[in-house]
Amino acid sequence: MLVGAVIATVPFVLIPWATNLPVLLACVVGFAAIANAFKGVTETLVSDYVRPGNRSKAQGFIKAGVSLTIVVSSLISLLVVDRSLHLAFAIPPLLMLIMLGLSWVFLGRRHCDAVLPEEQTEEEREFVSPWAVLKDALQSPSSPTLLLMIGIFCFAGMWSALRSLTTPYGTQVLGLTRGEAGGLALPGAIAFLLCVLPIAYLSHRLGQLRTMRYGVALFIAGLLVGFAWPSVPGTIASMIVSSLGYASFAVNALVALWNLAPTQKVLGTYTALYTIASASGMALGPAILGTTIDLTSWRYMLLNAAVFAAVTFAVFTRLARSAPDRTTDRAHG
């Protein structure tokens, strides 16, 4: 993680220096490839330190930290982008390196003492290869694991598209500068930060699938508010409501997938499934939504996103009906 994060800063810093599309793509793809290479390892660490019954709450604290990155990026957009794009891209890697150093100092020495002891069951002693687990999880088109991966792909894709295209939406529809448009995400990030922990504790009682389904519905409602009220206040309200809906998903998606794992030994494999689904959605989501914008106009961006999110709602509805209790029961275990 430490080595990968340091290497990932290089292509990220070079993005504003790209003078043509091939170089820009090389920087973006290089950063994404390096960052995603160790993302699964990072996310699986939660299961090494936190017992199953507390993982939703632990994810709440983690996502609260993630929301701080959105707050910081929005502040950078508001205060720095219109003045110096190169400086704006240099600040996040610098902050990340500082935090990595602090993490190593304060957490690295306690690693061995904090890891949960292994409690092997008979099923885990007979553990086969991760490839066999992967084949078993995906062999049926209606399997809960495959359905959940589809839902993760769709929701992560639309959230990524919304985050990526909000700035050009603000310049094209609302008449803002790039920096001002980039700051539209700040109120939503603050709302996310304030509500993610209560949502995590609520999810512990309601269950992951039910909470995610409610979150998708709230996400759609937020998009429709922004479409019906195409102004700065309306877009800010849309970002706030949509962020709360996404928080319900962000806290629970990985935990719900972990709860489908047959044994604790294969949690890394299930984290890889989550990474594949979410990373694919984040990569393709902006392109898919951007294509619909080309076919309609920027004015219809939020409505187009709401239509795609409705597909996600249908997936989670079917998933909740096909496996209503499995993830919830394990969440309380």
Side-chain angles (χ1 to χ4, degrees):
M1 286 170 52
L2 291 170
V3 173
V6 171
I7 297 175
T9 62
V10 177
F12 186 88
V13 171
L14 294 177
I15 288 176
W17 297 92
T19 56
N20 53 61
L21 183 59
V23 176
L24 176 62
L25 286 175
C27 293
V28 173
V29 172
F31 170 74
I34 297 169
N36 285 319
F38 62 89
K39 181 180 179 182
V41 177
T42 306
E43 291 171 333
T44 307
L45 284 177
V46 175
S47 63
D48 291 337
Y49 292 92
V50 182
R51 298 189 183 279
N54 293 321
R55 285 173 185 163
S56 286
K57 291 182 282 187
Q59 282 291 94
F61 282 95
I62 291 172
K63 296 306 178 181
V66 172
S67 69
L68 289 175
T69 66
I70 303 176
V71 172
V72 171
S73 65
S74 298
L75 290 174
I76 291 173
S77 181
L78 280 171
L79 303 175
V80 183
V81 166
D82 291 335
R83 293 176 173 82
S84 173
L85 194 62
H86 297 86
L87 178 60
F89 274 83
I91 292 175
L94 177 61
L95 293 175
M96 183 175 68
L97 292 175
I98 292 173
M99 293 309 301
L100 283 173
L102 293 175
S103 298
W104 176 256
V105 171
F106 291 105
L107 300 179
R109 298 173 183 176
R110 299 182 61 247
H111 172 73
C112 295
D113 296 332
V115 174
L116 292 175
E118 292 190 13
E119 298 176 0
Q120 286 191 331
T121 63
E122 190 64 31
E123 187 180 19
E124 288 174 326
R125 294 189 189 100
E126 298 175 0
F127 166 70
V128 292
S129 72
W131 298 110
V133 174
L134 183 62
K135 181 179 178 181
D136 180 68
L138 303 181
Q139 64 182 355
S140 172
S142 60
S143 72
T145 301
L146 184 58
L147 283 174
L148 186 52
M149 286 185 65
I150 294 173
I152 291 170
F153 171 86
C154 294
F155 206 171
M158 280 306 98
W159 175 252
S160 176
L162 192 64
R163 291 277 295 119
S164 301
L165 300 179
T166 295
T167 297
Y169 173 84
T171 59
Q172 296 292 325
V173 177
L174 305 179
L176 303 174
T177 67
R178 285 187 307 173
E180 293 170 341
L184 289 172
L186 180 58
I190 295 174
F192 187 107
L193 177 61
L194 294 176
C195 295
V196 68
L197 287 177
I199 288 174
Y201 279 81
L202 182 64
S203 303
H204 183 68
R205 295 184 175 277
L206 291 180
Q208 285 81 31
L209 293 179
R210 184 185 301 177
T211 306
M212 283 192 290
R213 187 166 173 247
Y214 294 158
V216 177
L218 192 60
F219 184 79
I220 295 173
L223 295 175
L224 294 178
V225 167
F227 173 72
W229 189 9
S231 63
V232 172
T235 304
I236 290 175
S238 174
M239 294 297 103
I240 291 174
V241 177
S242 298
S243 295
L244 297 181
Y246 179 73
S248 302
F249 166 83
V251 167
N252 293 293
L254 180 56
V255 178
L257 201 54
W258 280 340
N259 290 335
L260 294 174
T263 74
Q264 295 293 304
K265 284 289 187 179
V266 295
L267 290 183
T269 301
Y270 275 74
T271 305
L273 295 179
Y274 172 82
T275 301
I276 291 170
S278 61
S280 300
M282 289 179 181
L284 297 177
I288 294 172
L289 185 59
T291 300
T292 68
I293 293 171
D294 291 339
L295 296 175
T296 57
S297 70
W298 281 102
R299 171 68 180 86
Y300 291 90
M301 183 189 82
L302 297 179
L303 180 62
N304 297 341
V307 172
F308 281 113
V311 176
T312 310
F313 182 79
V315 171
F316 279 116
T317 298
R318 181 178 178 184
L319 181 61
R321 291 173 179 173
S322 63
D325 298 320
R326 189 174 182 186
T327 55
T328 304
D329 290 342
R330 289 193 181 191
H332 295 286

